[in-house]
Amino acid sequence: MAALLELKDVHAYYGDSHVLRGVSLSVEEGEVVGLLGRNGAGKTTTLLTIMGYLRARQGAIVFRGERMGGLHPYRVARRGIGFVPQERRIFPSLTVRENLSIGERSDGRGRWSVEDIWNIFPNLHARQKNLGCHLSGGEQQMLAIARALMVDPVLLLLDEPSEGLAPLIVEKIVQVLHDVKGKGLTILLIEQNLNTALRLADRHYVLSKGEICYSGTSGDLEGSEEVMKKYLGV
Ligand SMILES: Nc1ncnc2c1ncn2[C@@H]1O[C@H](COP(=O)(O)OP(=O)(O)OP(=O)(O)O)[C@@H](O)[C@H]1O
Ligand SMILES: [Mg+2]
């Protein structure tokens, strides 16, 4: 079976700085795949390259059987990839409801209605008239995920959704990601907290200095003390 997303020997640069050095990975439909690695390993750069914010100078990115090289981010999004960036990027001067409208499909054919979003995130419902800038960090993260769902992606890319959040909020986000996975969404997830990554993802890739140095299931990774010590620092 062909993978939903496949990266084959992808190289990417910031100017002359060669950051991704031949990244190959695949994500099958319905999977949650973790992308792990220390600070500066190239995790965010991998997602930016998939989204087309950064051009792959070498290698191929194939999504649903089609090459995506050189597509603009909005075209990548239209093909069915949702992106929740590390810095969340919600609109601070718009209300919660207005932030959701930005992602809402004009044809009304998305899998997630606003009602669904309110059911998944009751606290966003309660705060729908509040401005983005008045939300807590956890609420902003939930809004960023909710907005990505409104676009009805096939694959969701998440960059450290639990970063800087209190344990109770992290639990809520883990629950939400379990629920959306149950509804058939495929997820590629960057997660610094190994425990959270192990709970959420079926399989993992570990990046080190722009190269994949390990891949395996959660069970494999837990059993591999050497990988955890050497590449994850735990
Ligand atoms: N805009 C940029 N210009 C130049 N170099 C950059 C830029 N952004 C990132 N880098 C460098 O590219 C490398 C990979 O960065 P990246 O942000 O992908 O790492 P990361 O794995 O997401 O790390 P973190 O866990 O800190 O988010 C790092 O060495 C970083 O310093
Ligand atoms: Mg990062």
Side-chain angles (χ1 to χ4, degrees):
M1 205 182 78
L4 180 65
L5 173 76
E6 192 165 12
L7 270 61
K8 298 178 194 168
D9 190 33
V10 167
H11 291 253
Y13 295 69
Y14 292 107
D16 291 333
S17 172
H18 191 176
V19 173
L20 297 188
R21 298 165 169 271
V23 171
S24 297
L25 60 82
S26 67
V27 181
E28 308 283 335
E29 200 158 345
E31 270 190 315
V32 177
V33 173
L35 189 57
L36 309 175
R38 291 177 187 255
N39 291 333
K43 304 180 298 295
T44 296
T45 305
T46 302
L47 298 195
L48 293 177
T49 308
I50 295 169
M51 285 310 295
Y53 289 105
L54 213 64
R55 193 171 62 84
R57 278 206 215 161
Q58 190 186 316
I61 301 174
V62 181
F63 179 61
R64 293 163 120 177
E66 287 182 58
R67 276 184 79 135
M68 293 204 302
L71 286 187
H72 280 283
Y74 78 92
R75 286 193 179 274
V76 174
R78 267 200 206 154
R79 287 203 180 180
I81 306 187
F83 179 40
V84 180
Q86 202 161 3
E87 65 278 16
R88 295 165 193 155
R89 285 192 220 147
I90 62 158
F91 293 95
S93 57
L94 298 183
T95 65
V96 167
R97 181 65 185 85
E98 287 164 347
N99 265 280
L100 285 184
S101 309
I102 305 253
E104 206 164 354
R105 286 169 62 125
S106 52
D107 60 6
R109 290 174 63 187
R111 238 182 320 167
W112 313 85
S113 66
V114 174
E115 284 311 310
D116 293 329
I117 296 294
W118 296 152
N119 284 330
I120 300 171
F121 302 101
N123 43 344
L124 290 184
H125 189 195
R127 307 207 63 184
Q128 61 172 308
K129 295 201 171 101
N130 287 85
L131 295 180
C133 61
H134 292 154
L135 301 180
S136 68
E139 288 164 341
Q140 288 187 17
Q141 185 63 67
M142 288 178 198
L143 181 56
I145 296 171
R147 189 181 55 192
L149 291 178
M150 292 299 289
V151 190
D152 198 15
V154 177
L155 169 69
L156 189 60
L157 310 180
L158 291 163
D159 196 343
E160 300 203 31
S162 74
E163 190 184 19
L165 303 181
L168 258 171
I169 311 293
V170 174
E171 276 315 300
K172 171 71 188 158
I173 285 178
V174 167
Q175 194 52 54
V176 162
L177 295 179
H178 265 301
D179 291 352
V180 296
K181 184 197 174 190
K183 292 192 174 171
L185 193 68
T186 305
I187 298 176
L188 177 59
L189 166 81
I190 296 178
E191 180 54 63
Q192 281 279 23
N193 184 312
L194 183 63
N195 216 358
T196 307
L198 289 171
R199 286 173 61 203
L200 276 171
D202 309 298
R203 279 193 306 124
H204 307 266
Y205 289 94
V206 178
L207 266 173
S208 172
K209 297 179 183 150
E211 288 178 86
I212 302 286
C213 59
Y214 178 85
S215 77
T217 62
S218 288
D220 293 340
L221 186 59
E222 269 181 300
S224 181
E225 252 180 64
E226 195 201 325
V227 174
M228 301 225 269
K229 253 197 204 131
K230 191 167 169 196
Y231 299 113
L232 303 173
V234 288

